Amino acid sequence: MLDLQRLRALHAVSVHGTVGAAAAALGYTPSAVSQQIAKLERETRTVLLEREGRGVRLTDEAQALAATARELMAIVERAETELEERRGVPAGRLTIAAFASAARGLMPTVLADLTRRHPTLDPRLTEVDPHLSVDLVAKGAVDLVVAHDWDIAPLPAPAGVEQAAVGDDLCDLLVPEGHRFAGRGAVLRSELGGERWICQPPGRVCHDWLVRTLRTAGFEPDIVHQADENPTLVALVAAGLGIALIPRLGRGPLPAGVVEVPLDPMPVRRLYALWRAGAARRPAIAETVRALREHWPAVSAHGPR
């Protein structure tokens, strides 16, 4: 008899690519995940993981077993959803993946609300880039995702995944004091040529949006500094090293030396909650979407700051 938890560990490795990443997603230590895989190898008398450089590679047998594990977990999810739906009370573990600024600016309030209202619910948060998180929910690695897209780059939802809009996050142009845009009532996108830009690395949604936006306006962006975290980007602007387009959610108060200028038209990114269609009836999903929407106005910073 195959153990479901060991199959879950193998599935996590297949989705996340490494034992360490799988452990982080499951809330285990890497050693615990390795032990689960080793026990599964003994049970099946099959080699499942092979060393490849500093990481591991799933064997063909492991790939087939991981696909079966995904089907089994979908069956378990349906059973758990039916039980929770019958009780009518959010309960059990709920794994949530959110991008960095939502994890910082929105999720602490939402998680505290869920925990206070529903003592039998066990929500657990993981910070994941939107490019990856939607695939994770589609594959069953997490229960719900908080992701975003931009006005010119819509977020595709895979088959079998449902979504609900949470709210719109506005984005401002941040410039150093003394910059030619400082003090302006608004800046047109057609005026952005010749600037030195600070943004996230390639492959991130914000980076791709900036490049596409500037090219649409007829400019090739000169990106001089790149960093993952918005506070780092703001600090680079404060040092006079360039300008940046940064959303308001999770940004925090601006330091001295940084001026916020509206861009015309103002960039907007929309936040979504996404979950698998098979879990749509689960009360925990509906309650989490409620909490996201309820707390969004207080953290979205749409009003005067």
Side-chain angles (χ1 to χ4, degrees):
M1 181 68 69
L2 295 177
D3 183 273
L4 184 60
Q5 292 304 316
R6 292 165 195 166
L7 290 173
R8 191 186 301 274
L10 178 64
H11 175 260
V13 174
S14 73
V15 170
H16 296 282
T18 68
V19 170
L26 294 172
Y28 300 152
T29 65
S31 175
V33 171
S34 295
Q35 290 175 16
Q36 292 287 337
I37 300 296
K39 291 177 180 178
L40 188 58
E41 287 184 323
R42 290 196 294 270
E43 288 176 349
T44 59
R45 298 184 295 278
T46 304
V47 175
L48 300 175
L49 299 183
E50 294 179 340
R51 290 288 179 185
E52 187 173 68
R54 295 185 177 181
V56 295
R57 181 185 68 84
L58 272 68
T59 63
D60 292 342
E61 292 81 3
Q63 294 283 3
L65 192 56
T68 301
R70 180 179 176 181
E71 296 175 5
L72 290 173
M73 287 189 292
I75 294 172
V76 171
E77 180 180 62
R78 288 198 297 271
E80 292 174 341
T81 297
E82 290 175 3
L83 286 173
E84 188 177 326
E85 185 181 24
R86 285 177 178 273
R87 296 189 187 105
V89 177
R93 179 178 295 191
L94 182 76
T95 53
I96 303 171
F99 60 97
S101 54
R104 179 173 59 252
L106 175 61
M107 292 311 300
T109 304
V110 170
L111 294 172
D113 181 2
L114 293 173
T115 302
R116 183 180 64 257
R117 289 175 183 247
H118 307 289
T120 57
L121 182 63
D122 181 20
R124 303 194 176 196
L125 174 68
T126 300
E127 184 180 305
V128 180
D129 188 77
H131 277 321
L132 304 175
S133 61
V134 176
D135 189 48
L136 293 181
V137 77
K139 291 181 178 179
V142 296
D143 297 316
L144 183 140
V145 159
V146 179
H148 69 78
D149 65 11
W150 289 90
D151 45 1
I152 64 171
L155 177 72
V161 174
E162 298 181 3
Q163 66 181 35
V166 174
D168 290 342
D169 187 22
L170 304 183
C171 182
D172 298 298
L173 184 66
L174 302 186
V175 304
E177 284 184 341
H179 189 276
R180 65 188 179 108
F181 293 150
R184 290 272 298 273
V187 174
L188 300 175
R189 296 187 185 188
S190 59
E191 300 179 81
L192 297 177
E195 294 294 331
R196 292 166 63 85
W197 288 93
I198 300 167
C199 74
Q200 292 182 332
R204 299 302 181 91
V205 176
C206 294
H207 179 282
D208 296 345
W209 179 89
L210 175 65
V211 171
R212 185 179 303 185
T213 297
L214 293 181
R215 286 176 177 170
T216 300
F219 309 117
E220 187 63 29
D222 181 14
I223 299 174
V224 294
H225 301 293
Q226 302 175 40
D228 284 317
E229 297 294 331
N230 284 344
T232 305
L233 302 177
V234 173
L236 291 169
V237 174
L241 300 173
I243 68 175
L245 279 168
I246 300 182
R248 296 178 182 178
L249 176 63
R251 190 176 70 194
L254 295 177
V258 177
V259 178
E260 174 186 292
V261 183
L263 192 62
D264 184 17
M266 181 170 284
V268 176
R269 64 177 183 179
R270 173 159 290 186
L271 270 67
Y272 295 92
L274 301 99
W275 60 89
R276 288 180 298 283
R281 303 191 318 274
R282 188 178 174 190
I285 297 292
E287 184 64 3
T288 302
V289 173
R290 175 208 62 78
L292 288 166
R293 286 173 163 172
E294 180 177 308
H295 292 284
W296 173 251
V299 303
S300 59
H302 286 192
R305 290 168 309 288

